[in-house]
Amino acid sequence: MAPVKVTKICCIGAGYVGGPTCAVIALKCPHIRVTIVDLNQARIDAWNSPDFKLPIYEPGLEEVVRQARGRNLFFSTDVDKGIQEADLIFVSVNTPTKKSGVGAGFSADLTYVESATRRIAAVATSSKIVVEKSTVPCRTAESMRTILEANSKPGTRFDILSNPEFLAEGTAIPDLLRPDRVLIGSLQTTEGKNACESLAEVYANWVPRDRILTVGLWSSELSKLAANAMLAQRISSVNALSAICEATGANIEEVAHAIGYDSRIGPKFLRASVGFGGSCFQKDILNLVYLSESLHLPQVAAYWRQVVEMNEYQKSRFSKTVVDTLFNTITGKHIAVLGFAFKADTGDTRESAAISLIRDFLSERAYVTIYDPKVEEAQIWLDLAEACPAMPLETIKKQVNIVHSALEACKQKEAVVIATEWKEFKEIDWETVYTQMTKPAFVFDGRLILDAEKLRKIGFTVKVIGRGDRL
């Protein structure tokens, strides 16, 4: 049997992965009808908004949606219709870390994946290619296949593929338009390979064939976890070195620059910071830890767990530096935190270092003013309430203020903390900031984006992550 020619795609899940991925597929494949479905009415309304006020911020995304929406890209809450009409279905739902039960704090919660899979089985009346797009633990596809086969109607068959995303938030659209590679995993049967070819043909509309890698199902699932674990490991490695730099008087930027010249190492992901965040790095490493433990590989589990522990240490070390520098107490002091997203060019706050820093400042009874150019106020309150479960939201709101400009945030503060590397923070009028701050005025650069010498000449006391005070 020849590979199916895909003419209709349904994506279950209109979030950070499903939305941009399928919008780009629609843009590059005008002959394929792409429908993104989600039960969240507010989210679908935002995707369909006349003024293109999309539910997620990603540079370049609005332009893609403007070109394809209404032509061959559609957003809907009618999940069943989407499933019934599609040849190929992406499952792109949330897989957060479990908060309770077996594997709590480590393993992925596959509730949404299972729910979507059962819905496909219940609704589908014709054969489908089902593509696992969410980040999932190894052998999840096997569970999906079992559910689909146990509930399928006579005459329908399901082929399962793994097609993990390797997007970086902030550059998701360029990553999708010019990917390093597209990875497709399938069962190594004739049917599995045919399904794999059907999806490969979709991507081949704009991705060179030599960048479309086809592998076994389990290799594909593990590759996604492994890629994120290796990237996070590099960040934790350079952050560990930044602690040594601060203790010795070395400069982490100089050290990273020097080792990055080694062609075996390369310069990417060697930028020290207050810590990594985002929806994937920590979640995927903890998944790897849980997988290793369940496979009775405790040394492997301990190795990967240390990457996350170093990241937590970096965040707590930075907040301690703020307290120590401000004469060993920040009780009653006013601190501006610039940035709340986990990185620049996104509105995503998941696992953001800023949340940990602010939680630590609140526990010291400091007053915090927050400014971020893209994160919604409601999201900030939600994140802080979750991070400080012992504090009622009313209490948090007495200690925290959210403002709409960096200058406003810095006014009459004892210290400014850079938590996200937004470009606009480099361009702040620091002389004006200095005149309006309580003296001595402190700046803590947790992202290596400021000209520390220039700030010192203005009069600031500056602390930069990864730079010691010794000469």
Side-chain angles (χ1 to χ4, degrees):
M1 196 175 85
V4 172
K5 188 82 175 163
V6 175
T7 60
K8 289 183 179 177
I9 289 174
C10 171
C11 175
I12 302 176
Y16 277 95
V17 176
T21 301
C22 287
V24 167
I25 289 175
L27 177 72
K28 291 296 186 179
C29 307
H31 56 289
I32 297 176
R33 182 185 173 93
V34 180
T35 305
I36 302 174
V37 296
D38 200 296
L39 293 174
N40 186 325
Q41 182 71 58
R43 180 177 287 175
I44 292 298
D45 288 347
W47 281 112
N48 283 324
S49 60
D51 58 352
F52 291 88
K53 195 159 173 53
L54 306 181
I56 59 176
Y57 172 72
E58 193 63 49
L61 176 60
E62 184 185 321
E63 289 79 358
V64 172
V65 174
R66 277 182 183 275
Q67 289 181 67
R69 196 179 77 185
R71 180 192 73 181
N72 67 320
L73 174 65
F74 303 92
F75 299 91
S76 172
T77 54
D78 193 342
V79 176
D80 291 0
K81 183 170 182 269
I83 291 169
Q84 283 169 340
E85 293 181 349
D87 311 307
L88 183 147
I89 301 167
F90 285 112
V91 177
S92 187
V93 295
N94 198 14
T95 53
T97 302
K98 281 181 79 172
K99 292 187 176 178
S100 60
V102 177
F106 291 90
S107 75
D109 184 346
L110 300 178
T111 304
Y112 301 119
V113 172
E114 183 174 335
S115 174
T117 306
R118 289 188 180 279
R119 196 78 208 141
I120 293 167
V123 170
T125 52
S126 59
S127 298
K128 311 286 180 191
I129 298 169
V130 179
V131 185
E132 164 194 271
K133 195 76 183 160
S134 306
T135 302
V136 292
C138 255
R139 304 195 84 87
T140 300
E142 191 168 43
S143 307
M144 292 173 71
R145 192 160 65 100
T146 303
I147 291 167
L148 290 168
E149 287 178 356
N151 295 282
S152 64
K153 296 175 180 65
T156 63
R157 63 168 284 113
F158 297 101
D159 290 298
I160 302 281
L161 299 176
S162 165
N163 176 218
E165 55 83 17
F166 296 99
L167 309 178
E169 287 185 43
T171 59
I173 300 304
D175 293 347
L176 285 161
L177 294 172
R178 294 174 295 280
D180 290 340
R181 79 298 204 190
V182 171
L183 187 64
I184 307 172
S186 68
L187 289 175
Q188 298 303 290
T189 60
T190 302
E191 295 85 357
K193 288 178 178 178
N194 280 339
C196 183
E197 179 56 26
S198 294
L199 181 56
E201 282 182 9
V202 172
Y203 283 113
N205 282 286
W206 78 96
V207 180
R209 274 283 180 171
D210 61 356
R211 294 197 172 196
I212 302 173
L213 312 180
T214 57
V215 298
L217 210 42
W218 323 131
S219 296
S220 175
E221 289 181 330
L222 184 57
S223 295
K224 165 64 175 172
L225 299 183
N228 277 342
M230 297 286 277
L231 292 172
Q233 179 199 48
R234 279 176 73 101
I235 296 171
S236 279
S237 294
V238 80
N239 282 344
L241 290 169
S242 76
I244 298 174
C245 287
E246 288 172 36
T248 59
N251 181 330
I252 191 59
E253 288 179 283
E254 292 175 349
V255 173
H257 185 65
I259 63 176
Y261 258 80
D262 188 321
S263 60
R264 297 165 302 174
I265 298 170
K268 292 185 177 178
F269 277 76
L270 288 180
R271 192 168 185 80
S273 70
V274 67
F276 61 74
S279 63
C280 286
F281 280 3
Q282 179 165 309
K283 182 179 77 172
D284 288 358
I285 295 169
L286 294 176
N287 244 319
L288 210 49
V289 170
Y290 185 70
L291 177 67
S292 304
E293 286 178 342
S294 64
L295 295 171
H296 309 294
L297 300 169
Q299 291 86 353
V300 177
Y303 175 81
W304 289 113
R305 185 185 283 111
Q306 188 57 40
V307 173
V308 175
E309 289 179 359
M310 177 53 62
N311 194 51
E312 292 305 309
Y313 170 69
Q314 185 78 342
K315 290 186 277 190
S316 63
R317 195 172 71 78
F318 190 70
S319 58
K320 185 177 184 299
T321 297
V322 173
V323 176
D324 291 350
T325 306
L326 291 174
F327 315 112
N328 297 312
T329 179
I330 57 172
T331 301
K333 291 179 179 174
H334 294 261
I335 299 172
V337 174
L338 300 186
F340 196 85
F342 84 89
K343 63 184 276 193
D345 295 323
T346 179
D348 196 349
T349 62
R350 285 175 288 184
E351 306 296 342
S352 173
I355 298 171
S356 300
L357 296 178
I358 293 164
R359 179 198 62 212
D360 291 350
F361 297 158
L362 295 182
S363 71
E364 296 275 348
R365 301 198 302 283
Y367 293 96
V368 179
T369 299
I370 301 166
Y371 166 66
D372 188 283
K374 286 296 172 188
V375 180
E376 301 284 343
E377 270 192 44
Q379 187 62 51
I380 294 175
W381 295 128
L382 203 65
D383 288 333
L384 293 181
E386 189 176 336
C388 309
M391 288 179 80
L393 187 57
E394 296 72 36
T395 307
I396 294 172
K397 287 188 174 183
K398 285 176 186 169
Q399 282 181 251
V400 175
N401 187 28
I402 301 170
V403 297
H404 301 289
S405 79
L407 280 177
E408 193 183 348
C410 298
K411 204 173 283 184
Q412 295 174 329
K413 302 297 185 295
E414 273 98 332
V416 177
V417 174
I418 305 290
T420 310
E421 68 280 18
W422 287 103
K423 186 168 176 260
E424 68 175 80
F425 298 159
K426 296 181 188 178
E427 297 157 0
I428 292 171
D429 181 352
W430 286 104
E431 291 189 1
T432 300
V433 169
Y434 184 73
T435 61
Q436 295 177 344
M437 282 180 69
T438 304
K439 309 299 185 297
F442 295 88
V443 173
F444 298 87
D445 184 1
R447 294 291 177 178
L448 299 179
I449 63 168
L450 302 180
D451 183 338
E453 279 313 304
K454 180 183 164 191
L455 293 182
R456 288 189 182 108
K457 283 175 185 168
I458 292 170
F460 288 101
T461 299
V462 185
K463 288 281 185 180
V464 181
I465 207 153
R467 287 188 207 164
D469 293 330
R470 299 181 191 182
L471 293 174

